[in-house]
Amino acid sequence: MGLYKVTGFVATVITFVSYTVSFSAPFWYYIDLGTREIYGGLWQSCLSNFITKTCSNNVLTSNPGWIHVYQTFGCLALICVISSLILMILYMFIWKQDERLRKAIISAAFASAGMIFLCVTIFAAKFRDRDYQKEDLSFSFYLTFVAILTSLWTGVILIVGNIKGD
């Protein structure tokens, strides 16, 4: 196994872990309202005070269209990330010399980076339209940037490895 393949594999695993955590965790934003706090993610919004916490689903048909758009891009990105990981495992351990598989991994890596970027951009643009004094984007939102960068790194490193003959 060459250095470029191993580096691409590690980057793909990091992409998978970081995006899966970000995709499922309800901590894309945090709003401090003094005695109450609001936080949420792609699928859920929560309101809590010192005693109780109530969460609501973000998959309602009454939600604005932009919520469904970033959820769709988030799901498409997850499909690309999972397929990239599966293809990379096949490439590393089973079909080691298949160039078509390498090209499919590169395509899936760049597609997942693009889908995650679109999801994050739509979410951030619409989130900043709110009128709260103490609003913040939270760790799951920033974890998507790790996924974008490592996904791009996977594609680039496999292209460079192909040029170098790895």
Side-chain angles (χ1 to χ4, degrees):
M1 282 185 235
L3 177 64
Y4 295 101
K5 287 182 185 177
V6 172
T7 306
F9 179 72
V10 169
T12 304
V13 170
I14 292 170
T15 300
F16 175 75
V17 170
S18 62
Y19 189 67
T20 304
V21 168
S22 176
F23 182 81
S24 59
F27 298 103
W28 277 50
Y29 64 88
Y30 174 81
I31 300 169
D32 186 4
L33 299 173
T35 59
R36 297 178 298 154
E37 56 187 24
I38 301 171
Y39 57 92
L42 287 177
W43 307 108
Q44 193 174 66
S45 295
C46 299
L47 173 67
S48 71
N49 56 25
F50 297 116
I51 300 170
T52 62
K53 176 177 95 170
T54 57
C55 293
S56 65
N57 213 345
N58 281 351
V59 193
L60 304 173
T61 56
S62 62
N63 282 337
W66 66 269
I67 291 178
H68 299 296
V69 171
Y70 80 78
Q71 287 174 337
T72 301
F73 279 119
C75 290
L76 291 173
L78 184 66
I79 291 168
C80 289
V81 167
I82 291 170
S83 65
S84 182
L85 179 67
I86 291 169
L87 292 172
M88 184 58 97
I89 290 170
L90 291 173
Y91 184 62
M92 287 289 293
F93 302 112
I94 298 172
W95 296 305
K96 299 178 182 181
Q97 299 301 321
D98 193 352
E99 288 305 310
R100 294 174 301 170
L101 199 53
R102 182 191 292 246
K103 290 176 184 174
I105 296 166
I106 292 168
S107 299
F110 286 135
S112 65
M115 295 293 173
I116 296 169
F117 179 76
L118 287 171
C119 176
V120 165
T121 303
I122 294 167
F123 180 84
K126 289 298 185 175
F127 178 74
R128 291 297 179 191
D129 286 346
R130 299 178 183 192
D131 268 342
Y132 293 112
Q133 292 292 340
K134 296 180 180 177
E135 63 182 8
D136 237 346
L137 295 169
S138 195
F139 82 93
S140 289
F141 177 81
Y142 294 114
L143 203 53
T144 60
F145 290 102
V146 173
I148 291 171
L149 293 175
T150 54
S151 187
L152 289 173
W153 181 248
T154 298
V156 168
I157 204 70
L158 289 177
I159 290 171
V160 171
N162 192 29
I163 293 170
K164 299 274 186 174
D166 181 28

